[in-house]
Amino acid sequence: PPDQPASPVPGTARIVGWLGIMLATVIMMALLGATAAWFSGLHGLSPVSSLYARALRVGVLLGVRPAPSLTPHEYATRVGRAVPSAAAAVHTVADLYVQEQYAKQVPNHAQTRAARTAWGALRSIALGIWFQRNRRGEKRLP
């Protein structure tokens, strides 16, 4: 009926809708920025070198910083000691990186696929630990 006051809900719903759209946009932009930052510096690397560079980044997230004095195998061993479930995956990537960089042997398709599988496992382990650590409010891994 015309003598009833207008309901404030349509205006409120419109504002909430716009806030939702703005929040979704901000989240998408943050994800795009994080993805760009993650892959920066990897352009031009071979597939195995790119996987090793990402393994180094994941190692830092796991609390193991690379040092110029460490060989790839030594670094993989440190990551494996810090996170035993990641040992096999990080060693697979490091082994193929050493083969490519120092023995000058280009990994074949099966080896590259194995390195990508190992990288996927390493990424899953790191994300799981990161979420677990943040859920508990910890600042560092044990």
Side-chain angles (χ1 to χ4, degrees):
D3 46 324
Q4 285 187 341
S7 172
V9 174
T12 304
R14 184 174 297 143
I15 291 170
V16 170
W18 280 108
L19 287 174
I21 290 170
M22 289 188 326
L23 179 64
T25 302
V26 168
I27 290 172
M28 290 294 291
M29 296 301 285
L31 287 173
L32 286 173
T35 301
W38 179 259
F39 286 106
S40 70
L42 301 179
H43 182 70
L45 295 178
S46 71
V48 172
S49 293
S50 175
L51 291 172
Y52 183 70
R54 287 187 259 168
L56 290 174
R57 291 176 181 180
V58 165
V60 170
L61 292 175
L62 294 173
V64 182
R65 298 214 176 269
S69 61
L70 293 175
T71 68
H73 288 129
E74 291 170 337
Y75 184 72
T77 299
R78 284 192 178 182
V79 171
R81 282 190 199 131
V83 183
S85 59
V90 74
H91 274 287
T92 298
V93 174
D95 288 344
L96 283 176
Y97 177 75
V98 167
Q99 173 186 325
E100 179 184 79
Q101 293 298 308
Y102 301 107
K104 301 297 181 194
Q105 296 175 354
V106 177
N108 63 35
H109 181 69
Q111 291 171 316
T112 303
R113 190 173 346 113
R116 285 193 175 134
T117 301
W119 159 247
L122 183 59
R123 180 184 58 210
S124 295
I125 291 165
L127 285 174
I129 289 172
W130 185 81
F131 281 122
Q132 184 179 33
R133 178 181 70 195
N134 286 321
R135 189 181 75 224
R136 291 188 304 223
E138 294 176 18
K139 297 294 180 192
R140 294 181 154 193
L141 288 174

PDB file of all heavy atoms in Angstrom, residues 77-96:
ATOM      1  N   THR A  77      69.337 -31.609   1.298  1.00  0.00           N
ATOM      2  CA  THR A  77      69.483 -32.333   2.561  1.00  0.00           C
ATOM      3  C   THR A  77      68.996 -31.487   3.730  1.00  0.00           C
ATOM      4  O   THR A  77      68.309 -31.993   4.631  1.00  0.00           O
ATOM      5  CB  THR A  77      70.950 -32.754   2.772  1.00  0.00           C
ATOM      6  OG1 THR A  77      71.331 -33.617   1.693  1.00  0.00           O
ATOM      7  CG2 THR A  77      71.142 -33.472   4.090  1.00  0.00           C
ATOM      8  N   ARG A  78      69.311 -30.201   3.725  1.00  0.00           N
ATOM      9  CA  ARG A  78      68.834 -29.315   4.805  1.00  0.00           C
ATOM     10  C   ARG A  78      67.312 -29.216   4.815  1.00  0.00           C
ATOM     11  O   ARG A  78      66.694 -29.238   5.868  1.00  0.00           O
ATOM     12  CB  ARG A  78      69.451 -27.925   4.671  1.00  0.00           C
ATOM     13  CG  ARG A  78      70.871 -27.884   5.122  1.00  0.00           C
ATOM     14  CD  ARG A  78      71.338 -26.471   5.244  1.00  0.00           C
ATOM     15  NE  ARG A  78      72.715 -26.454   5.720  1.00  0.00           N
ATOM     16  CZ  ARG A  78      73.390 -25.374   5.964  1.00  0.00           C
ATOM     17  NH1 ARG A  78      72.835 -24.184   5.773  1.00  0.00           N
ATOM     18  NH2 ARG A  78      74.624 -25.433   6.389  1.00  0.00           N
ATOM     19  N   VAL A  79      66.726 -29.087   3.632  1.00  0.00           N
ATOM     20  CA  VAL A  79      65.258 -29.028   3.557  1.00  0.00           C
ATOM     21  C   VAL A  79      64.679 -30.354   4.057  1.00  0.00           C
ATOM     22  O   VAL A  79      63.703 -30.363   4.813  1.00  0.00           O
ATOM     23  CB  VAL A  79      64.778 -28.721   2.121  1.00  0.00           C
ATOM     24  CG1 VAL A  79      63.267 -28.878   2.002  1.00  0.00           C
ATOM     25  CG2 VAL A  79      65.201 -27.323   1.707  1.00  0.00           C
ATOM     26  N   GLY A  80      65.297 -31.468   3.665  1.00  0.00           N
ATOM     27  CA  GLY A  80      64.824 -32.776   4.115  1.00  0.00           C
ATOM     28  C   GLY A  80      64.920 -32.965   5.618  1.00  0.00           C
ATOM     29  O   GLY A  80      64.082 -33.613   6.228  1.00  0.00           O
ATOM     30  N   ARG A  81      65.963 -32.398   6.234  1.00  0.00           N
ATOM     31  CA  ARG A  81      66.075 -32.466   7.697  1.00  0.00           C
ATOM     32  C   ARG A  81      65.006 -31.613   8.375  1.00  0.00           C
ATOM     33  O   ARG A  81      64.454 -32.001   9.396  1.00  0.00           O
ATOM     34  CB  ARG A  81      67.446 -31.995   8.148  1.00  0.00           C
ATOM     35  CG  ARG A  81      68.516 -33.013   7.968  1.00  0.00           C
ATOM     36  CD  ARG A  81      69.802 -32.579   8.652  1.00  0.00           C
ATOM     37  NE  ARG A  81      70.898 -33.333   8.102  1.00  0.00           N
ATOM     38  CZ  ARG A  81      72.035 -32.812   7.671  1.00  0.00           C
ATOM     39  NH1 ARG A  81      72.234 -31.515   7.751  1.00  0.00           N
ATOM     40  NH2 ARG A  81      72.969 -33.568   7.170  1.00  0.00           N
ATOM     41  N   ALA A  82      64.741 -30.435   7.807  1.00  0.00           N
ATOM     42  CA  ALA A  82      63.748 -29.530   8.397  1.00  0.00           C
ATOM     43  C   ALA A  82      62.340 -30.079   8.232  1.00  0.00           C
ATOM     44  O   ALA A  82      61.512 -29.970   9.140  1.00  0.00           O
ATOM     45  CB  ALA A  82      63.843 -28.149   7.764  1.00  0.00           C
ATOM     46  N   VAL A  83      62.066 -30.679   7.083  1.00  0.00           N
ATOM     47  CA  VAL A  83      60.739 -31.223   6.782  1.00  0.00           C
ATOM     48  C   VAL A  83      60.944 -32.602   6.151  1.00  0.00           C
ATOM     49  O   VAL A  83      61.047 -32.721   4.931  1.00  0.00           O
ATOM     50  CB  VAL A  83      59.955 -30.295   5.831  1.00  0.00           C
ATOM     51  CG1 VAL A  83      58.557 -30.822   5.595  1.00  0.00           C
ATOM     52  CG2 VAL A  83      59.920 -28.874   6.366  1.00  0.00           C
ATOM     53  N   PRO A  84      61.021 -33.655   6.966  1.00  0.00           N
ATOM     54  CA  PRO A  84      61.318 -34.992   6.428  1.00  0.00           C
ATOM     55  C   PRO A  84      60.375 -35.461   5.314  1.00  0.00           C
ATOM     56  O   PRO A  84      60.803 -36.159   4.400  1.00  0.00           O
ATOM     57  CB  PRO A  84      61.200 -35.898   7.659  1.00  0.00           C
ATOM     58  CG  PRO A  84      61.510 -34.995   8.810  1.00  0.00           C
ATOM     59  CD  PRO A  84      60.939 -33.661   8.421  1.00  0.00           C
ATOM     60  N   SER A  85      59.122 -35.040   5.356  1.00  0.00           N
ATOM     61  CA  SER A  85      58.192 -35.474   4.311  1.00  0.00           C
ATOM     62  C   SER A  85      58.527 -34.858   2.949  1.00  0.00           C
ATOM     63  O   SER A  85      58.083 -35.357   1.916  1.00  0.00           O
ATOM     64  CB  SER A  85      56.759 -35.119   4.699  1.00  0.00           C
ATOM     65  OG  SER A  85      56.625 -33.727   4.882  1.00  0.00           O
ATOM     66  N   ALA A  86      59.334 -33.813   2.932  1.00  0.00           N
ATOM     67  CA  ALA A  86      59.709 -33.148   1.677  1.00  0.00           C
ATOM     68  C   ALA A  86      61.034 -33.651   1.118  1.00  0.00           C
ATOM     69  O   ALA A  86      61.421 -33.265   0.019  1.00  0.00           O
ATOM     70  CB  ALA A  86      59.787 -31.638   1.896  1.00  0.00           C
ATOM     71  N   ALA A  87      61.719 -34.518   1.849  1.00  0.00           N
ATOM     72  CA  ALA A  87      63.073 -34.929   1.461  1.00  0.00           C
ATOM     73  C   ALA A  87      63.134 -35.557   0.073  1.00  0.00           C
ATOM     74  O   ALA A  87      63.960 -35.154  -0.755  1.00  0.00           O
ATOM     75  CB  ALA A  87      63.648 -35.889   2.503  1.00  0.00           C
ATOM     76  N   ALA A  88      62.295 -36.517  -0.203  1.00  0.00           N
ATOM     77  CA  ALA A  88      62.360 -37.211  -1.496  1.00  0.00           C
ATOM     78  C   ALA A  88      62.060 -36.252  -2.648  1.00  0.00           C
ATOM     79  O   ALA A  88      62.764 -36.264  -3.668  1.00  0.00           O
ATOM     80  CB  ALA A  88      61.378 -38.375  -1.514  1.00  0.00           C
ATOM     81  N   ALA A  89      61.072 -35.409  -2.488  1.00  0.00           N
ATOM     82  CA  ALA A  89      60.690 -34.489  -3.568  1.00  0.00           C
ATOM     83  C   ALA A  89      61.786 -33.478  -3.852  1.00  0.00           C
ATOM     84  O   ALA A  89      62.147 -33.255  -5.012  1.00  0.00           O
ATOM     85  CB  ALA A  89      59.385 -33.779  -3.196  1.00  0.00           C
ATOM     86  N   VAL A  90      62.334 -32.878  -2.823  1.00  0.00           N
ATOM     87  CA  VAL A  90      63.361 -31.853  -3.047  1.00  0.00           C
ATOM     88  C   VAL A  90      64.644 -32.482  -3.592  1.00  0.00           C
ATOM     89  O   VAL A  90      65.346 -31.882  -4.412  1.00  0.00           O
ATOM     90  CB  VAL A  90      63.593 -31.008  -1.778  1.00  0.00           C
ATOM     91  CG1 VAL A  90      64.353 -31.759  -0.722  1.00  0.00           C
ATOM     92  CG2 VAL A  90      64.288 -29.698  -2.120  1.00  0.00           C
ATOM     93  N   HIS A  91      64.949 -33.707  -3.203  1.00  0.00           N
ATOM     94  CA  HIS A  91      66.139 -34.385  -3.752  1.00  0.00           C
ATOM     95  C   HIS A  91      65.944 -34.732  -5.227  1.00  0.00           C
ATOM     96  O   HIS A  91      66.899 -34.637  -6.010  1.00  0.00           O
ATOM     97  CB  HIS A  91      66.476 -35.638  -2.939  1.00  0.00           C
ATOM     98  CG  HIS A  91      67.339 -35.343  -1.757  1.00  0.00           C
ATOM     99  ND1 HIS A  91      68.677 -35.036  -1.866  1.00  0.00           N
ATOM    100  CD2 HIS A  91      67.041 -35.285  -0.440  1.00  0.00           C
ATOM    101  CE1 HIS A  91      69.176 -34.810  -0.664  1.00  0.00           C
ATOM    102  NE2 HIS A  91      68.195 -34.945   0.221  1.00  0.00           N
ATOM    103  N   THR A  92      64.734 -35.101  -5.617  1.00  0.00           N
ATOM    104  CA  THR A  92      64.474 -35.394  -7.035  1.00  0.00           C
ATOM    105  C   THR A  92      64.734 -34.174  -7.891  1.00  0.00           C
ATOM    106  O   THR A  92      65.405 -34.244  -8.923  1.00  0.00           O
ATOM    107  CB  THR A  92      63.019 -35.877  -7.222  1.00  0.00           C
ATOM    108  OG1 THR A  92      62.833 -37.085  -6.481  1.00  0.00           O
ATOM    109  CG2 THR A  92      62.702 -36.124  -8.681  1.00  0.00           C
ATOM    110  N   VAL A  93      64.211 -33.028  -7.461  1.00  0.00           N
ATOM    111  CA  VAL A  93      64.404 -31.784  -8.213  1.00  0.00           C
ATOM    112  C   VAL A  93      65.883 -31.394  -8.216  1.00  0.00           C
ATOM    113  O   VAL A  93      66.436 -31.031  -9.259  1.00  0.00           O
ATOM    114  CB  VAL A  93      63.516 -30.661  -7.638  1.00  0.00           C
ATOM    115  CG1 VAL A  93      63.821 -29.334  -8.306  1.00  0.00           C
ATOM    116  CG2 VAL A  93      62.039 -31.011  -7.792  1.00  0.00           C
ATOM    117  N   ALA A  94      66.541 -31.478  -7.065  1.00  0.00           N
ATOM    118  CA  ALA A  94      67.956 -31.104  -6.982  1.00  0.00           C
ATOM    119  C   ALA A  94      68.825 -32.017  -7.842  1.00  0.00           C
ATOM    120  O   ALA A  94      69.754 -31.541  -8.508  1.00  0.00           O
ATOM    121  CB  ALA A  94      68.422 -31.140  -5.528  1.00  0.00           C
ATOM    122  N   ASP A  95      68.537 -33.309  -7.846  1.00  0.00           N
ATOM    123  CA  ASP A  95      69.324 -34.251  -8.654  1.00  0.00           C
ATOM    124  C   ASP A  95      69.262 -33.901 -10.142  1.00  0.00           C
ATOM    125  O   ASP A  95      70.284 -33.887 -10.830  1.00  0.00           O
ATOM    126  CB  ASP A  95      68.837 -35.681  -8.437  1.00  0.00           C
ATOM    127  CG  ASP A  95      69.198 -36.239  -7.075  1.00  0.00           C
ATOM    128  OD1 ASP A  95      70.074 -35.656  -6.395  1.00  0.00           O
ATOM    129  OD2 ASP A  95      68.587 -37.252  -6.671  1.00  0.00           O
ATOM    130  N   LEU A  96      68.062 -33.618 -10.630  1.00  0.00           N
ATOM    131  CA  LEU A  96      67.935 -33.287 -12.047  1.00  0.00           C
ATOM    132  C   LEU A  96      68.559 -31.924 -12.364  1.00  0.00           C
ATOM    133  O   LEU A  96      69.130 -31.732 -13.442  1.00  0.00           O
ATOM    134  CB  LEU A  96      66.471 -33.316 -12.475  1.00  0.00           C
ATOM    135  CG  LEU A  96      65.916 -34.720 -12.667  1.00  0.00           C
ATOM    136  CD1 LEU A  96      64.444 -34.681 -12.995  1.00  0.00           C
ATOM    137  CD2 LEU A  96      66.681 -35.459 -13.754  1.00  0.00           C
TER     138      LEU A  96
END
